[in-house]
Amino acid sequence: MTQRLGAATVDALSNEVGVPAYDRTAVRPGIVHFGVGGFHRAHQAMYLDQLMNEGKALDWGICGVGTMPPDQRMRDVLQAQDGLYTLVIKHPDGTMDPRVIGSIVEYLYAPDDPETVLTRMTDPATRIVSLTITEGGYHVNQVTGEFDPGDPGLQHDLEPGAVPTSAFGLVVEGLARRRAAGVPAYTVMSCDNIPGNGHVAKKMLTSFARLKDPELADWIESEVRFPNSMVDRITPVTADADKEALAERFGIEDGWPVVCEPFTQWVLEDDFGGERPPFEDVGVQLVDDVEPYELMKLRLLNASHQALCYLGYLAGYRYAHEVCQDKLFVDFLLGYMDNEATPTLPPVPGVDLDKYKHQLIERFANPEVRDTLARLCAESSDRIPKWLVPVVRQQLATGGEIARSALVIAAWARYAEGVDEQGEPIEVVDRLRDKLVERAQHNREEPLLFVSDRDLFGDLVDDERFVQAYTSALSSLHEQGARATVAAGP
C-alpha cells in the first residue's frame, strides 16, 4: 500500500520515514531560490529543514523559482505534493534513510507569471536570493573572465521595458524595484561549483545591470552582499528505480524524490547584508575566507570526477563506483590528487588533506549512489576550464607534474569524438556540443585542434610541455585505449 506524498498524507507515512516535526503552515518564505534541482533539494533545502525541525528559521522558508522549460516538471511535481519531497540518503551497505523535506513552501515558474516572482522578490520578508543555476548560468567568458551578454535570454531582458525572463533579469529587476521602493537589498547567495562563486555572481550580475542602468549597477556594487560558498554532496540524477524502491520499501509515491550520499558539507562566508538563518546550528561552517576550502573541493573532488568520468567511460564503465572499485583507476586518481592538484592548494584550516583524498575515493566508490559517468561527463566546457585547467597552468608555472591532467583533457577530446572504444555512439551533452564534436572529429589528423579553442583553454596550446603531454596522451588513447594508457603511467 503506497501513499501519494502530500500535506494530507505525510503524517500517515511509515515510522521509518522522517517527516517535518514543525507546523508547515507557520513557515513563511524568506529565501527565493533559482534552480530547484536535485542538489539544492539535497543540500540547502535540507539544512533549512533541519533548522526548522529544531524550531528555528520558520521565517526562512524557500520560494523556489524556475525559468527554463524543463522547470515546468518541477513546478508540477512540487505543486501536486504541496512542496514536499523525499530525500533518500543511500549508505554503502545498502541501507536507505528517507526523510520528507518541508522547507520549500512555494514554487513559481517564472514564465507563467513573472510579476508574481518579482512581487515575492521585492517583499521585505525576502532577505536572501540564492542560486544553483549551474556553472554556465553566470555567462562568464572562459578566457577573459568578463561578462558575456550574448545569451538570447539576456538580450531579451536588456530590451527597454522588457518583462524579464532569465534568472539574471529577474534578480536585477528585483533589486531595482527594492531600490526604488526604499527596501533594503537582499543578499545574493550563490551555491554553484565556481571558484569565488560570490565574487563571480557579483561581477556578472553587476555587469548585466550596468548595461541596463549604470546607477543601479553602482547601487548593487555598494549595497548588495554576495557571500562566497563551497558546497558538497554527491547527488546523482533520480532514476525510475529510485522512485520504485521508495514505493516498495517505504510506501511513498513521490513524483521526484532525491537520492544522495551520506556526506554533506557547506562552507559559507559570513557576509550577509541583513539577517540570515542560524546555519551554524546545523553544521554549516561559517568562515571569513572560503577560498582554501573551495579550491580543495574544486581541484580534488570536482576535477577528480572529470579525471575518472571520461577515462572510465572509454574503458567501458558506466558508473562512478565501478571506476573507483578498480585499483588501476584509484591509483591514477590518487596520483592526480597527490602530485598535481595538491601542490596548487593553499593550507586548508582544520582539514587533513590526506584523509580528505582517501575519503573522496570511498565516496566515489559507494555502489548505492550509482552516479552515472554520463552525468559527470555532461557540460564539460563549463567544468574543465574552471576545475582542471587552473591546475595545469599552476603546475606549468612551477615546473610541477602535468601528465595526468593532460591525459584527462585528452580523454575529454577523445570522448567528444562521439564514439567509444567499442564503436558505440556517445551522447555528448554540452552547451557547446556542436563545436566540440566538430573539433574532436579531427583529433587524429589535427591533434591540437581541440585544445586550440582559446575560449576554453587560453594559451595552453602555445606551451611546449603541455602540447607534448597532451598529444602523447591523445595518441595513446587512440592506439592503445584508455585502460592501457592509464596503466602505462605518467
Side-chain angles (χ1 to χ4, degrees), residues 27-356:
V27 179
R28 296 289 178 265
I31 297 173
V32 169
H33 181 81
F34 285 83
V36 179
F39 182 77
H40 167 71
R41 294 189 294 148
H43 199 264
Q44 181 186 342
M46 179 276 301
Y47 281 104
L48 285 159
D49 181 75
Q50 286 188 342
L51 280 172
M52 292 171 187
N53 277 313
E54 295 182 3
K56 305 169 184 175
L58 295 180
D59 59 339
W60 288 102
I62 298 168
C63 169
V65 175
T67 61
M68 309 291 285
D71 295 329
Q72 293 175 83
R73 182 184 162 213
M74 187 64 72
R75 171 200 62 195
D76 295 343
V77 170
L78 287 179
Q79 288 181 357
Q81 297 179 178
D82 304 308
L84 297 169
Y85 63 93
T86 316
L87 178 66
V88 183
I89 297 173
K90 292 184 151 188
H91 297 274
D93 63 2
T95 58
M96 295 165 62
D97 247 342
R99 172 160 204 93
V100 175
I101 304 296
S103 53
I104 299 177
V105 294
E106 186 176 32
Y107 188 90
L108 302 173
Y109 179 59
D112 286 345
D113 187 355
E115 277 301 320
T116 297
V117 176
L118 290 166
T119 297
R120 177 62 70 196
M121 296 177 75
T122 53
D123 186 335
T126 297
R127 288 147 289 168
I128 294 174
V129 169
S130 53
L131 310 169
T132 47
I133 54 176
T134 76
E135 298 87 356
Y138 292 82
H139 308 287
V140 182
N141 181 293
Q142 300 291 356
V143 173
T144 67
E146 299 303 315
F147 176 62
D148 179 357
D151 180 84
L154 297 183
Q155 288 296 310
H156 169 274
D157 289 356
L158 287 170
E159 291 291 329
V163 176
T165 59
S166 68
F168 269 33
L170 289 161
V171 171
V172 168
E173 178 63 19
L175 288 168
R177 294 187 182 192
R178 289 176 81 107
R179 173 176 175 246
V183 176
Y186 40 68
T187 294
V188 177
M189 183 173 72
S190 171
C191 298
D192 281 295
N193 278 319
I194 301 173
N197 55 14
H199 297 321
V200 172
K202 179 175 184 176
K203 182 175 182 179
M204 299 306 131
L205 278 163
T206 304
S207 297
F208 173 81
R210 198 165 296 285
L211 295 175
K212 288 183 68 72
D213 181 346
E215 289 186 6
L216 173 62
D218 291 341
W219 181 82
I220 291 173
E221 282 190 333
S222 65
E223 298 298 323
V224 181
R225 291 284 187 268
F226 294 83
N228 291 298
S229 69
M230 183 271 264
V231 296
D232 188 4
R233 186 168 227 179
I234 296 172
T235 309
V237 174
T238 303
D240 287 341
D242 296 316
K243 293 191 283 187
E244 292 163 6
L246 188 61
E248 291 171 8
R249 295 177 63 172
F250 301 102
I252 304 175
E253 186 183 337
D254 186 333
W256 203 336
V258 186
V259 296
C260 65
E261 64 168 337
F263 181 90
T264 182
Q265 187 177 21
W266 190 1
V267 182
L268 180 60
E269 183 183 11
D270 198 359
D271 181 25
F272 289 75
E275 297 175 310
R276 64 164 175 81
F279 288 125
E280 64 273 27
D281 291 355
V282 286
V284 180
Q285 297 167 259
L286 274 295
V287 300
D288 293 329
D289 184 10
V290 172
E291 184 177 20
Y293 301 91
E294 70 183 9
L295 287 176
M296 172 188 77
K297 193 251 179 168
L298 294 169
R299 296 183 181 181
L300 294 178
L301 185 152
N302 293 119
S304 290
H305 265 156
Q306 303 298 286
L308 71 86
C309 67
Y310 317 109
L311 289 166
Y313 196 101
L314 292 170
Y317 292 125
R318 292 298 177 262
Y319 291 93
H321 70 270
E322 296 173 335
V323 182
C324 289
Q325 291 172 359
D326 184 327
K327 186 177 185 302
L328 176 70
F329 288 95
V330 169
D331 289 346
F332 174 79
L333 288 175
L334 288 171
Y336 159 74
M337 289 193 275
D338 287 341
N339 300 303
E340 301 188 22
T342 299
T344 73
L345 299 177
V348 187
V351 176
D352 179 333
L353 281 181
D354 189 61
K355 180 180 177 182
Y356 178 82

